[in-house]
Each structure stands twice: as C-alpha cells, then as structure tokens.
C-alpha cells in the first residue's frame, strides 16, 4: 500500500488531435486536487501538461512545476502554480520530478512523455525507486506500445513481473485505487541470475 501525497504527471506539450485528450487531462488534474493529492509536472503552460496543471490549480490543488531555464519561454512557464522550480537542464528536471512524486502517471504525449515514462520505468527495474507507474489511456492511445512491450516480454527482454507492475487505467479514480494498492516488484538484479 503506497501513500500518495504527490503524483508526477508526464504528458504532451501539445494538446493532441482529439478533444478527448484534453478532457482526460482535465479530469485527472481536477480529481487529484479533489483528493488532496499534489501534482508535479514539467512546469509549462502548453498542451496537455498545461491543461492538467490548470485543472488541478483551479480545483484548489497543490501544483509544483519543474522547468529548465531553456524552456521557460518556449513552454511558457505556468504562473498559477503553488511553486515553480527553475532548474539548469533536462536531467535536473527529471531527477526533481522523480524525487517529488510518490507515483508516476503518463497521459498521452509525444517523445518527451515517452522518454520520461521509460526512464522512471527503467529506474523501477533497477531498484533506484520503488514507486508505482501508470499509463493513463485515452481511446486506446497506448495499445500499440503495450503490444510492443508484450512482444518484448515474449522475446525475453523484460521479465513478466515488470510488465505486470505497470498499471494501465482510463479513469482517474481507478488510477488512484490501483496506485494505492500497488506492490513493488523485486528489483532486477536482486533476482536469481537465470531470470530476465
Ligand atoms: P512531449 O511529449 O514531447 O510533448 O514532451 C512533454 C514534456 O516532456 C515537455 O515538457 C518536454 O519539455 C519534456 N521533455 C522532452 N524531452 C525531455 C527530456 N529529455 N528530459 C526531460 N523532459 C523532456
């Protein structure tokens, strides 16, 4: 059982092609705020990332943004946050977002979202953290990537317990239930040498 004071949200700096993405980002932001859970995110006021932050902030929630100096103007730093941390670079941003959150959720997004998601997932495998990670699905957005991950498991490159440790949901309350009941897998290198 994990305690959830703050959740780190990864999602697109673009709004996506369908209005359902924005609706999902609003739902996640407002439910987290209503549940008294803080949002940690990339600090910008663009795309779905801005939507999550604004929805959480409008609902009275804590929102902490972490943005590198170089993106303050490009991603239009959000000024209605509880706190905006301006860091030196992308590496510090990800490190700080990982430290501040008790769990991670990726909503639809682009290559930056994927990079952030895969980094925290690899860190879980290595035992660098033991925090739950969820993919928040909207209209089957993650299905092709999940099929690829299943293929990677079949081919013996990811152990099943790490695939199974990944939470996949499409509803904000289900997200919180699954994050709260999640149990950390045993890190990769503490298993017998024969396993993946
Ligand atoms: P995207 O999904 O590509 O729209 O990007 C979503 C967020 O991820 C944006 O805030 C990007 O600035 C951020 N991002 C992209 N690449 C990286 C990276 N290598 N490290 C940290 N954040 C990144």
């Amino acid at each position: 059982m994990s305690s959830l004071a703050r959740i780190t949200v990864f999602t697109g700096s673009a709004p996506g092609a369908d209005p359902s993405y924005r609706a999902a980002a609003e739902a996640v932001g407002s439910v987290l705020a209503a549940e008294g859970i803080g949002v940690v995110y990339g600090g910008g006021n663009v795309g779905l990332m801005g939507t999550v932050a604004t929805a959480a902030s409008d609902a009275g929630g804590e929102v902490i943004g972490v943005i590198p100096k170089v993106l303050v103007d490009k991603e239009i730093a959000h000024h209605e946050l509880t706190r905006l941390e301006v860091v030196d670079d992308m590496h510090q941003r990800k490190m700080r977002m990982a430290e501040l959150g008790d769990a991670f959720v990726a909503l639809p997004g682009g290559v930056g979202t994927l990079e952030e998601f895969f980094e925290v997932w690899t860190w879980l495998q290595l035992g660098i953290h033991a925090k739950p990670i969820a993919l928040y699905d909207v209209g089957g957005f993650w299905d092709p990537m999940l099929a690829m991950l299943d293929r990677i498991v079949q081919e013996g490159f990811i152990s099943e317990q790490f695939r199974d440790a990944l939470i996949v949901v499409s509803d904000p309350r289900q997200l919180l239930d699954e994050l709260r009941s999640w149990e950390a897998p045993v890190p990769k290198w503490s298993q017998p040498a024969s396993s993946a």
Side-chain angles (χ1 to χ4, degrees), residues 6-7 9 29-30 32-33 37-44 49-66 78-85 100:
R6 294 184 184 127
I7 296 182
V9 177
S30 54
L32 294 186
I37 297 171
V39 170
V40 177
Y41 87 113
M49 59 195 283
T51 302
V52 173
T54 301
S57 169
D58 286 354
E62 177 195 57
V63 186
I64 300 174
V66 186
H78 202 308
H79 293 296
E80 278 155 45
L81 306 179
T82 314
R83 189 164 90 228
L84 180 69
E85 296 189 9
L100 287 169

Side-chain angles (χ1 to χ4, degrees), residues 10-14 42-44 46 49 68 71 75 90-91 93-94 97 108-116:
F10 306 130
T11 189
S13 55
V46 291
M49 59 195 283
L71 291 181
E75 289 187 353
M90 290 297 214
H91 294 290
R93 175 198 239 182
K94 284 186 296 181
M97 287 172 77
V111 71
T113 302
L114 294 178
E115 203 258 358
E116 291 168 323

Side-chain angles (χ1 to χ4, degrees), residues 47-140:
L48 296 186
M49 59 195 283
T51 302
V52 173
T54 301
S57 169
D58 286 354
E62 177 195 57
V63 186
I64 300 174
V66 186
I67 196 163
K69 284 181 205 141
V70 68
L71 291 181
V72 165
D73 295 327
K74 295 194 179 76
E75 289 187 353
I76 317 174
H78 202 308
H79 293 296
E80 278 155 45
L81 306 179
T82 314
R83 189 164 90 228
L84 180 69
E85 296 189 9
V86 180
V87 295
D88 286 337
D89 54 38
M90 290 297 214
H91 294 290
Q92 279 189 17
R93 175 198 239 182
K94 284 186 296 181
M95 179 64 84
R96 200 64 194 127
M97 287 172 77
E99 277 168 7
L100 287 169
D102 300 310
F104 306 98
V105 57
L107 274 74
V111 71
T113 302
L114 294 178
E115 203 258 358
E116 291 168 323
F117 161 75
F118 278 111
E119 182 167 81
V120 293
W121 198 31
T122 55
W123 286 2
L124 175 67
Q125 281 201 61
L126 296 174
I128 295 170
H129 69 76
K131 300 176 183 178
I133 304 171
L135 289 169
Y136 191 94
D137 194 51
V138 181

Side-chain angles (χ1 to χ4, degrees), residues 121-128 156-157 159 161-162 185-196:
W121 198 31
T122 55
W123 286 2
L124 175 67
Q125 281 201 61
L126 296 174
I128 295 170
F157 293 106
S159 77
Q161 64 145 356
F162 282 101
V186 179
K188 184 171 173 174
W189 300 115
S190 41
Q191 294 166 44
S194 58
S195 53

